[in-house]
Amino acid sequence: MTASIVVSDREETAQRLLASSARKSYDPMVEVDWEAPIPEDKFGLTPEWSTLYGTALWDEMTDEQKIELTKHEAASVSSVGLWFEILLMQMLLRDVYGRDKHSRHVQFALTEVADECRHSVMFARAGERLNMPSYGPHPVIHKLGRIWGGFFRGANAYASVMAAEEILDMMQRDFMKDERVQPVTRTVSKIHVLEEARHIRFAREEVGRRIQGASWARLQIERLNTAAVVYFVMKSMIRKEVYENAGLDPKRAAAEARSNQHYKDTVRTSGSKLMQFLDGVGLVGGPSKRLYKRVHLL
C-alpha cells in the first residue's frame, strides 16, 4: 500500500510538471537576440552581486572597470552553470536508465535533460557573446566532477543538483530584473529561472522521498556529500582569474573579495530558502555545517 502511494504521488508531480513544460518552455536560440549590440554602459551582472561590491577597491574603480569586472564575473558564473548542467544531465540519465520509460516520472526527467541541453548551449553562447574567456571550474574540481558524475546516487544526487540550481537561481532572479544589466544576461537569466523552477520542484520532492527512513549512517554520508558539492560549486562560481582579466591587481582583489562582508551577507540572505529546505529534510548537521559556513550559507 505505501509503495503504491509513493509511486502515485511521484507520477502526479511529474504529470503536472510535464504539463507546465508543454505550456512554458523556451528556445534560447530564438528568445535571445544574439545579434544585438553589447551596450558599453551595462553591467555583466547586478553590481551588488559582484564579489568586490562594498570594498575599498570597488570604491576606487572607475565605472568602466566595474562594468568590465562584472562581465567577467557573469562569464565565470555561466561557465560553472554550464559545467554543472552537464553533470546534472548525466545523473538524470543514469537514474532513469533502469526505470519504466512509460512512467511520467521518467518522461519528465527526459524533458528536464532536454531543457538542460538548451541551457548549456545558452550559457556557452552568452559567454561567447560577451567576448569573455571560457572559465569553468578549477581543473581539480573539474576532475572531481567526473568522479561525482560516475558514483553519486539517490537522495544525495538530487539534493546536490537542487542545491546547485538554487544557488544559480538566487543570483539570476536579481539579474533578470535589473535594467542596469546587459540584455543578454537578463534574458538568459529569465529563461533559466523560469524553467529551473520546475526542475527544483522535481528535485526537492525526490530528495524528500529518498531520504525518508534513512539510517543514521546513511544520513551522515548524505549530509557530507551534499555539503561538499555545494562547497565546491560556491568556491567555483568566481574564478580568481577574473580579476586579472578585468585589469585589476589580482592579489589585492582576491584578498578583498575573501573578506567582503557585503558579499557574505548577500549569499547568506539569498540562500536562506535553500538552507531551510536542506535542514528540514535532515541534510544539515555535523561536519556539513562547517562546509556551509565556509561558503557563507550559514
Side-chain angles (χ1 to χ4, degrees), residues 27-152:
D27 181 351
M29 295 303 102
V30 175
E31 299 290 338
V32 182
D33 185 356
W34 298 109
E35 302 303 319
I38 303 299
E40 294 183 359
D41 61 343
K42 298 287 186 181
F43 293 96
L45 48 71
T46 295
E48 288 80 6
W49 268 105
S50 173
T51 53
L52 291 181
Y53 184 89
T55 65
L57 179 55
W58 179 269
D59 292 339
E60 296 171 16
M61 292 164 61
T62 64
D63 289 344
E64 291 76 13
Q65 286 176 315
K66 292 173 182 177
I67 288 169
E68 185 68 11
L69 171 63
T70 57
K71 286 166 66 177
H72 281 275
E73 289 177 318
S76 184
V77 169
S78 289
S79 70
V80 170
L82 193 163
W83 164 67
F84 209 85
E85 300 282 23
I86 293 172
L87 290 177
L88 186 159
M89 287 186 278
Q90 293 177 41
M91 183 280 291
L92 284 172
L93 290 171
R94 282 197 311 276
D95 190 62
V96 304
Y97 185 79
R99 295 179 181 270
D100 178 11
K101 309 306 182 291
H102 290 178
S103 72
R104 294 295 185 266
H105 173 80
V106 169
Q107 290 171 26
F108 181 74
L110 295 174
T111 300
E112 181 171 343
V113 170
D115 290 345
E116 303 299 10
C117 279
R118 294 195 304 273
H119 294 172
S120 297
V121 174
M122 177 174 72
F123 284 140
R125 191 74 175 269
E128 177 190 9
R129 186 67 190 93
L130 291 174
N131 196 28
M132 293 288 108
S134 178
Y135 284 104
H138 188 279
V140 172
I141 296 177
H142 189 271
K143 290 179 181 178
L144 287 173
R146 289 184 183 274
I147 297 172
W148 183 90
F151 292 102
F152 277 34

